[in-house]
Amino acid sequence: MTIRLFRPLLAMVLFAMSLFAGTVAMAGAAHADGCFTWTRTLAQGDSGSDVTQLQIRVAGYPGSGGLLGVDGAYGPATAAAVTRFQQAYGLPANGIADTATFSKIYALQDNDCTPVNFSFAELNNCNTTWSGGAVSAATAKANALRTMWKLQAMRHALGDVPITVTSGFRSRACNDAVGGAADSRHLYGDSADLAAGPHSLCKLAQQARDHGFSGILGPGYPGHNDHTHVDHRPSRFWSAPSCGI
């Protein structure tokens, strides 16, 4: 009788221990969402599509006046950007993209890979599709995603208060309708016009210098006294004379 009672009790104890062990094993694991899951720690010398995905998300941390290439190669610039990202969120800052780093990224992104505080709809409020611009629809949408992650970094640096995007990607027809320049960066999907809100237009323009935007136009530049424009054009062009840049 004792043996018969002991066996069920032992089975229950072993089952409980297995559940506890499973909980312990998962406690340090990153929780991915429906966008992208990193399956390895990344550090200098690594390369691949998972590095590219990381670079997109930390491109807003290149350092003052810097730009981070999205090329799939984990070099010193990527390590430095990861370090700044880690510092910004109070993580151990060693430039190595580890479980803690990925967990924070997962917490910051939605299932469509956009950062939680921005959306594709915000970056395309003039068109029903991403076609009709200066690049393919896929490229325009990818460019907009990179812009959003830079804006997310900028938003965090400004105290996590909202940043209002008034214009993003435009087709040529839409650009013409709003009187945009013939060679507007909006046609490439890599730009955003920002409205004043909790922060002034000058504050937005000045902060953009630290978050990977190569193009910054603001108050004092013709046609930009009512908004700050940011983009990631091939070469740097900053002009907001009223703001000291």
Side-chain angles (χ1 to χ4, degrees), residues 197-217:
H199 299 290
S200 69
L201 294 177
C202 282
K203 183 65 174 178
L204 293 172
Q206 291 162 349
Q207 192 68 41
R209 296 176 299 181
D210 298 334
H211 296 288
F213 290 107
S214 52
I216 304 171
L217 305 175

Side-chain angles (χ1 to χ4, degrees), residues 26-234:
M26 291 297 293
H31 175 70
D33 59 17
C35 170
F36 183 85
T37 301
W38 284 271
T39 58
R40 60 172 178 157
T41 296
L42 297 173
Q44 285 197 57
D46 289 332
S47 62
S49 60
D50 51 357
V51 176
T52 300
Q53 291 293 328
L54 174 66
Q55 289 171 328
I56 291 170
R57 288 155 181 78
V58 300
Y61 294 90
S64 181
L67 299 172
L68 178 65
V70 180
D71 57 8
Y74 203 121
T78 298
V82 169
T83 297
R84 294 186 189 96
F85 174 86
Q86 293 166 331
Q87 291 170 334
Y89 287 99
L91 303 175
N94 55 15
I96 297 172
D98 54 11
T99 297
T101 305
F102 297 138
S103 291
K104 175 50 67 174
I105 293 175
Y106 295 142
L108 289 173
Q109 70 182 12
D110 289 325
N111 284 349
D112 62 355
C113 298
T114 59
V116 292
N117 296 115
F118 297 93
S119 69
F120 282 119
E122 286 180 275
L123 271 290
N124 187 356
N125 52 14
C126 194
N127 299 52
T128 57
T129 70
W130 293 88
S131 60
V135 293
S136 70
T139 297
K141 191 172 184 179
N143 285 342
L145 181 64
R146 292 174 59 187
T147 299
M148 282 186 273
W149 278 102
K150 292 179 181 183
L151 288 174
Q152 184 71 30
M154 185 169 151
R155 184 184 191 276
H156 183 60
L158 288 169
D160 285 314
V161 296
I163 292 177
T164 301
V165 177
T166 59
S167 184
F169 170 72
R170 301 173 190 161
S171 66
R172 292 191 184 280
C174 185
N175 189 59
D176 291 344
V178 299
D183 59 347
S184 171
R185 295 307 305 181
H186 290 282
L187 298 168
Y188 296 82
D190 68 358
S191 63
D193 289 347
L194 312 177
H199 299 290
S200 69
L201 294 177
C202 282
K203 183 65 174 178
L204 293 172
Q206 291 162 349
Q207 192 68 41
R209 296 176 299 181
D210 298 334
H211 296 288
F213 290 107
S214 52
I216 304 171
L217 305 175
Y221 186 80
H224 289 72
N225 287 326
D226 61 350
H227 69 280
T228 290
H229 169 96
V230 295
D231 64 55
H232 40 99
R233 65 187 66 194

